[in-house]
Amino acid sequence: MDTPLIEFKNVTKRFGRRTILEGVNLKIYEGEVTTIIGLSGGGKTVLLKHIIGLIKPDEGTILFRGKPLNGMSKSEVDASLAQMSYMFQDNALFDSLTVYENIALPLRERTTMTKAEINRKVMARIEQTELTDSSRKFPSELSGGMQKRAALARALVIDPTIVLFDEPTSGQDPVRKNAILGMIAQYQRKFGFTAIVVSHEIPDVYFISNRILALYGRNIVFQGTPEELEDFDHPFKDEVIRSLEGLQKELTGLHSKRQFKVMYHGQMKRRALRDTYCVAVFKLESLDTIIEKLGHESAQEAIQSMGVFIDKHFGAIGGFSTRRSINEFVTVFPYSELDEAEDLLEDFVKDFQEHGIGEIWAGARERAAPGMCVDFIILAGLAQGQPIAEIETIIASAESKQKEIGRLRCAAGE
Amino acid sequence: MEISAKGQSSAESKTARRLTKLLLSPFTAVGRTAISWVNNSGASAIFLVLALKKTFWHKQLAKIVQQLYFIGASSTTIILLVGFFTGMVLGLQSYHALVKLGAQGAIGTLVALSLVRELGPVLTAIMITARAGSAITAEIGVQRISEQIDALDTMRIDPLRYLISPRIIAAIISFPLLTALFDLIGIIGGYTSAVVLLGANAGTYLHRVQSSLDMKDLTDGFVKSVVFAVIVVTVCCYQGYFTHMRQDSHGAKAVGVSTTSAVVLSSVLVLVADYIVTSLLI
């Protein structure tokens, strides 16, 4: 594997008699979204502040592109850290400056750009983060979500190669949480920076992360992909992930991937090897277009409405569902054969076209800008499997059979 | 028997240790405070030097002008009020005291010298501490606890350059100007009470003001005001900047405690420095 962008070797940090990090080893790679998860007060922010140089380790070494920070000259350290931006948990916006001034601050103070250049760049970020109407307002006049976006715009205005996000979704409702995570993922793809996110929004954060680092008991106990975390067996999972997943279920009505797998295995154990079951995969098509035209919050509102509708419809007849990716849902019909499942899907399509798609559009419209219009296209695919088969294979088969089951085209100005 | 004797001697030595500790505790407290004072004085001096080093930068001018407005221009009204009434009280008191000695002609001298040499610089410094110094500490303290200063660090913007240097320069410029204004308006206040209200001779008052003041009085007053400016702004900025390091309180309470400490400490240090500077200049 390539040299890690950032590497911790046996990093220990104490505050007085309290040890926060003890012999931490971790690797963060370039161009990825890496999420650090852990219990509240477990040292995630302290870890993040080590990366940006706000806190120095008591013991151990931090390497940047393979070179130890403590062995670098001051100018080298400055050059390394200048590539980073940090988005604070409480935003840390200057309350005596307007949104525009806050975003322009690093450019005014650090660069030799002209006023016109600064203005162009700041306005571009303001438009991208949907803050055009609030640019002359002070942070105290903005909602929590808008403050987050202003902080994000400020973090991105210097075109950093590494952006550190400290609990970017704290204090937000479920739709906004997902909207912020979606925004991070979208900007990460667009600008190509390395994102390091501290979050406890499990499992939502999995959908945008390439790698997960689990901080538990003052140490990193897991480093790997979200899929690898599913198979990770450690007390951390019981204490942190399950409790947070339970909370997630309450918020969205959907099972986490892990809960979904547990339910799946539980159901399949009761079945004979020759029995069959069916899997349906639903997808909200062209998510990027929806985001572009209606914004992140509308897109997340649509996804949430879709999840709630699927769960409500199939949950009542014994199906169980999970969110598979940012815009995809999977439902298992544990006791249905293909013919029966096709009938169920047909009923669903009917119900969906009568009520569901309207609910999705209604949810999205609440947060969309007036006059904005976009097509909502829902795809669905069905596949049959047996308990002996791998669920992933059946899901992939259902995915390959996806076809359009519903479309809503809004009229302009609606 | 032996065991009992040993126990008794151990209890006695414990009591002796406690007594010694009790007797030494005032000295320990004094020592601890002295060490803390020396530490803080050293840290403040380094803080000041580092901030002054970062003054000379082309982007500082706008920030200095902004601070000049806040520390200087916005303090004008309070300085005018305090200066005028201080002068009036001086005129009133000196008139009644000097009349008894038949020396009411010296009112102008007394008012002018008191104001220019002592009251002008000292009261100006204390008034600016109360109005602008407290606000500086509170503002920087809030910026510290809400991580705005950390945000500057992460943006590679030097907080000393951005927040502290402009305030120090603005204070060094504002204090002498406001002192001059205080002196002038104080002399007018003395004139109002002694001449207009009590009937002292106007010509004598103005002549004595003019003849008793020489250039050294004015320059000494300005030297004092510059010294006070450095003290006040350093103490106020330092207290705000290190609000998060306070051992006695945290968060919003720490901002309040820092603000109180800044005002009290600045006022006391202004009076101490006044004595030292006067004894050096006299």
Side-chain angles (χ1 to χ4, degrees), chain A residues 49 52 54 81-82 86 88 92-95 105-106 108-111 154, chain B residues 57 59 63 139 142-143 146-148 150-157 162:
Chain A
K49 285 184 175 175
I52 199 149
L54 282 178
L81 299 181
Y86 191 104
F88 284 80
L93 291 167
F94 278 81
D95 36 26
L105 184 68
R108 283 178 179 165
E109 292 297 317
R110 267 179 52 182
T111 68
R154 187 177 70 180
Chain B
W57 190 47
K59 290 184 179 176
K63 289 191 274 286
E139 187 180 344
V142 168
Q143 287 177 336
S146 61
E147 294 184 307
Q148 293 173 36
D150 285 345
L152 287 175
D153 271 324
T154 64
M155 289 187 267
R156 320 313 309 165
I157 299 170
Y162 184 75

Side-chain angles (χ1 to χ4, degrees), chain A residues 26-47:
Chain A
L26 63 84
K27 287 176 183 172
I28 292 166
Y29 293 95
E30 196 147 17
E32 290 187 340
V33 179
T34 302
T35 301
I36 302 166
I37 57 174
L39 286 170
S40 184
K44 300 189 294 292
T45 300
V46 171
L47 198 153

Side-chain angles (χ1 to χ4, degrees), chain A residues 69-313:
Chain A
L69 278 176
N70 54 8
M72 289 183 186
S73 65
K74 194 180 174 298
S75 58
E76 278 181 308
V77 173
D78 282 346
S80 305
L81 299 181
Q83 300 171 35
M84 298 185 198
S85 266
Y86 191 104
M87 190 175 146
F88 284 80
Q89 187 172 354
D90 296 322
N91 308 316
L93 291 167
F94 278 81
D95 36 26
S96 54
L97 302 180
T98 63
V99 169
Y100 180 95
E101 289 166 338
N102 263 290
I103 299 168
L105 184 68
L107 298 178
R108 283 178 179 165
E109 292 297 317
R110 267 179 52 182
T111 68
T112 50
M113 291 168 84
T114 62
K115 265 188 178 178
E117 285 170 330
I118 291 174
N119 185 53
R120 206 175 316 125
K121 204 154 189 195
V122 172
M123 287 316 293
R125 287 289 181 270
I126 284 177
E127 278 165 28
Q128 284 158 353
T129 46
E130 302 163 37
L131 286 167
T132 313
D133 296 337
S134 312
S135 64
R136 301 288 159 198
K137 287 184 179 167
F138 289 94
S140 58
E141 296 173 287
L142 305 180
S143 68
M146 289 164 104
Q147 286 185 19
K148 284 272 174 217
R149 294 208 296 268
L152 185 60
R154 187 177 70 180
L156 296 178
V157 77
I158 56 160
D159 298 329
T161 54
I162 305 159
V163 186
L164 288 76
F165 299 91
D166 188 2
E167 302 276 11
T169 54
S170 65
Q172 306 290 315
D173 62 53
V175 170
R176 283 210 178 91
K177 275 177 189 170
N178 279 286
I180 291 169
L181 292 175
M183 214 188 304
I184 291 171
Q186 189 202 13
Y187 289 144
Q188 194 271 336
R189 283 198 303 273
K190 196 168 173 182
F191 302 115
F193 56 76
T194 303
I196 305 169
V197 186
V198 158
S199 180
H200 56 250
E201 300 307 337
I202 297 167
D204 294 349
V205 78
Y206 294 167
F207 300 126
I208 68 158
S209 305
N210 302 102
R211 267 168 69 79
I212 302 280
L213 306 182
L215 182 65
Y216 179 72
R218 304 191 289 273
N219 212 328
I220 293 289
V221 294
F222 172 84
Q223 298 188 56
T225 62
E227 291 75 27
E228 286 165 352
L229 184 65
E230 300 283 324
D231 305 321
F232 176 59
D233 189 21
H234 191 275
F236 170 80
K237 268 192 102 166
D238 296 321
E239 206 173 317
V240 182
I241 298 187
R242 284 178 195 162
S243 59
L244 292 169
E245 281 177 350
L247 183 69
Q248 190 65 20
K249 172 90 176 77
E250 274 173 40
L251 293 172
T252 62
L254 285 172
H255 298 288
S256 70
K257 273 188 186 175
R258 197 195 55 75
Q259 289 166 332
F260 176 81
K261 274 192 176 174
V262 169
M263 287 185 81
Y264 170 77
H265 288 303
Q267 293 282 356
M268 291 308 125
K269 266 184 200 166
R270 294 181 212 158
R271 311 295 309 278
L273 287 180
R274 275 170 299 166
D275 287 347
T276 54
Y277 68 95
C278 282
V279 170
V281 179
F282 301 90
K283 186 176 184 184
L284 178 62
E285 187 71 331
S286 313
L287 186 65
D288 283 345
T289 315
I290 297 171
I291 290 172
E292 198 184 305
K293 292 200 174 170
L294 300 182
H296 284 278
E297 289 184 7
S298 297
Q300 292 305 327
E301 190 73 58
I303 289 169
Q304 198 198 28
S305 307
M306 186 171 158
V308 168
F309 192 80
I310 289 169
D311 186 60
K312 206 164 63 181
H313 187 94

Side-chain angles (χ1 to χ4, degrees), chain B:
Chain B
M1 213 45 188
E2 203 181 308
I3 292 169
S4 154
K6 261 188 188 172
Q8 197 179 348
S9 113
S10 154
E12 275 172 9
S13 72
K14 222 176 188 177
T15 316
R17 271 205 304 274
R18 269 190 201 154
L19 197 65
T20 316
K21 205 176 170 186
L22 194 72
L23 286 171
L24 286 177
S25 62
F27 301 102
T28 316
V30 170
R32 199 175 289 132
T33 312
I35 291 169
S36 161
W37 260 87
V38 171
N39 278 341
N40 277 324
S41 307
S44 305
I46 294 168
F47 180 77
L48 171 69
V49 171
L50 287 176
L52 278 175
K53 263 175 67 183
K54 284 157 186 168
T55 305
F56 305 101
W57 190 47
H58 65 287
K59 290 184 179 176
Q60 292 293 69
L61 191 63
K63 289 191 274 286
I64 292 172
V65 171
Q66 207 176 7
Q67 290 303 322
L68 270 174
Y69 175 77
F70 177 70
I71 299 172
S74 301
S75 303
T76 310
T77 313
I78 191 78
I79 292 299
L80 287 174
L81 274 171
V82 174
F84 187 72
F85 284 103
T86 306
M88 279 191 80
V89 169
L90 266 180
L92 184 66
Q93 290 281 15
S94 51
Y95 179 84
H96 287 294
L98 293 173
V99 154
K100 288 178 191 163
L101 304 169
Q104 62 265 47
I107 297 170
T109 306
L110 200 147
V111 169
L113 288 180
S114 313
L115 282 169
V116 173
R117 286 183 183 174
E118 289 302 329
L119 292 175
V122 171
L123 286 179
T124 302
I126 289 174
M127 290 323 295
I128 300 177
T129 302
R131 201 203 71 82
S134 56
I136 288 171
T137 309
E139 187 180 344
I140 296 174
V142 168
Q143 287 177 336
R144 169 59 81 186
I145 62 159
S146 61
E147 294 184 307
Q148 293 173 36
I149 294 178
D150 285 345
L152 287 175
D153 271 324
T154 64
M155 289 187 267
R156 320 313 309 165
I157 299 170
D158 190 330
L160 289 183
R161 176 183 284 162
Y162 184 75
L163 296 171
I164 311 299
S165 294
R167 288 180 163 91
I168 292 177
I169 299 304
I172 290 173
I173 297 169
S174 301
F175 272 58
L177 292 175
L178 289 170
T179 301
L181 188 66
F182 188 102
D183 293 346
L184 180 68
I185 202 75
I187 290 167
I188 294 170
Y191 180 92
T192 309
S193 66
V195 177
V196 180
L197 300 177
L198 298 169
N201 187 282
T204 311
Y205 180 89
L206 292 173
H207 172 71
R208 285 299 182 100
V209 167
Q210 192 190 2
S211 61
S212 57
L213 283 176
D214 56 29
M215 202 56 198
K216 190 176 181 310
D217 297 316
L218 293 170
T219 51
D220 286 0
F222 289 141
V223 168
K224 282 182 181 179
S225 66
V226 170
V227 171
F228 299 161
V230 172
I231 289 171
V232 168
V233 77
T234 306
V235 169
C236 292
C237 288
Y238 181 85
Q239 290 287 333
Y241 198 82
F242 293 104
T243 294
H244 63 309
M245 307 277 272
R246 293 198 79 89
Q247 302 291 319
D248 51 358
S249 49
H250 300 279
K253 196 177 175 196
V255 176
V257 175
S258 291
T259 308
T260 308
S261 301
V263 172
V264 172
L265 199 60
S266 298
S267 306
V268 172
L269 286 178
V270 161
L271 295 172
V272 173
D274 185 39
Y275 175 78
I276 295 168
V277 175
T278 306
S279 62
L280 290 174
L281 293 174
I282 212 157

